[in-house]
Amino acid sequence: MDDAQKWFSEGVALFEKGEYRRAVAAFDKAGAIDPAMAEVWNNRGLALVQLGKYDEALRSIEKALAIDPGYEHAKRAKKIVLDLRKESGAPDAPPQATGSQESPSPSGGKRTMYIAIAAAAVIVAVLLGAVLIKGGQSSEGIMGMFTPTPTPTPVPTATPVPTATPVPTPTPKLIPQSGVWVEITYDQYYSGAVGVPGNQLPLTGTKQVKPNTGDQFYPILRNNGIVTATVSKNDGSGDRLTVTVYSNGVAIKN
């Protein structure tokens, strides 16, 4: 986007916010860079209308028509400004402190309607991306988009229904129901060995494929009646470490 287009877009954004004086200044910068942009002069005129400066607005819009005599939006804008000047009875109404408000007048209803149409046209133009650039494209600016914006149907707000926070249920311990097993319960890592004499399963703490923390069961594959378990806590804490021997689901030693 070149500088003229940038200032034109800035002017449109300021108009939408109701900052009409700053919008005029932005359009002035765009026109100084590229005086042949008809939409710049037309939209500058619309901003001046919001400030009550009808004569200056008319000159700006007529400049847009001099550049593009077939500019329909500028033709409509000119008619609006002429009607407002006729109703106001003065060349230029005094500028307002804020761009979005106008002083009351006997014919303020129709005048307000014209200005509201112009403001609505700018907002619609921005929403539809109708920010036009110089060259072979259409010269349509902001004026002329008079399609009323439908009032959105309010969506009823659902009343949230409080839900009780579920209390986690502890998972029951699954004790093997057949064979001989050694259970070791400890929150940290431990080391040692379990099994039968001559056939011990080493427990090497963090080096195990399966971490040996929490509640772990180890099978005793060959049993001649003697089960051995030598277990030590790796952290040397005073926490409880429990070793239990099960046979067919029944604890026979703890």
Side-chain angles (χ1 to χ4, degrees):
M1 181 182 297
D2 59 24
D3 289 340
Q5 182 66 33
K6 180 182 72 175
W7 284 114
F8 175 74
S9 300
E10 178 72 11
V12 172
L14 290 169
F15 191 109
E16 185 183 5
K17 295 176 183 177
E19 300 182 25
Y20 305 118
R21 295 182 188 278
R22 293 181 61 196
V24 171
F27 290 134
D28 283 341
K29 291 179 180 179
I33 296 171
D34 188 351
M37 291 180 68
E39 63 269 27
V40 169
W41 302 109
N42 182 54
N43 293 314
R44 179 178 180 273
L46 294 180
L48 289 167
V49 168
Q50 299 292 342
L51 296 173
K53 298 184 176 182
Y54 304 136
D55 280 357
E56 188 178 352
L58 183 60
R59 289 193 294 270
S60 186
I61 294 169
E62 285 179 338
K63 189 168 184 177
L65 287 170
I67 297 170
D68 183 1
Y71 193 173
E72 291 297 330
H73 292 171
K75 291 178 182 178
R76 298 178 192 176
K78 180 178 179 179
K79 183 178 184 305
I80 289 175
V81 176
L82 290 173
D83 288 345
L84 289 173
R85 278 208 325 169
K86 182 178 178 181
E87 292 174 4
S88 67
D92 273 328
Q96 304 298 313
T98 59
S100 59
Q101 298 180 357
E102 296 291 337
S103 299
S105 66
S107 58
K110 186 174 181 182
R111 179 162 165 258
T112 302
M113 178 189 71
Y114 279 134
I115 296 175
I117 290 174
V122 172
I123 295 172
V124 173
V126 173
L127 294 179
L128 296 181
V131 178
L132 306 182
I133 61 174
K134 63 181 181 178
Q137 298 188 27
S138 170
S139 298
E140 294 184 357
I142 296 173
M143 279 297 299
M145 296 188 178
F146 302 118
T147 303
T149 302
T151 303
T153 303
V155 180
T157 304
T159 303
V161 179
T163 55
T165 303
V167 178
T169 303
T171 303
K173 182 188 300 184
L174 298 178
I175 301 173
Q177 296 300 302
S178 62
V180 178
W181 294 78
V182 172
E183 176 193 23
I184 300 177
T185 304
Y186 186 55
D187 290 338
Q188 303 297 327
Y189 288 104
Y190 48 84
S191 60
V194 297
V196 298
N199 187 13
Q200 295 284 302
L201 173 66
L203 309 176
T204 56
T206 57
K207 294 182 180 180
Q208 280 195 168
V209 175
K210 179 180 180 181
N212 55 4
T213 60
D215 194 357
Q216 303 289 346
F217 284 88
Y218 300 94
I220 308 300
L221 300 180
R222 293 181 301 197
N223 182 27
N224 58 2
I226 300 175
V227 175
T228 64
T230 305
V231 186
S232 61
K233 297 180 286 187
N234 289 353
D235 58 350
S237 72
D239 297 339
R240 179 183 294 274
L241 182 149
T242 303
V243 179
T244 306
V245 179
Y246 291 90
S247 177
N248 296 327
V250 179
I252 59 176
K253 190 69 175 180
N254 178 274

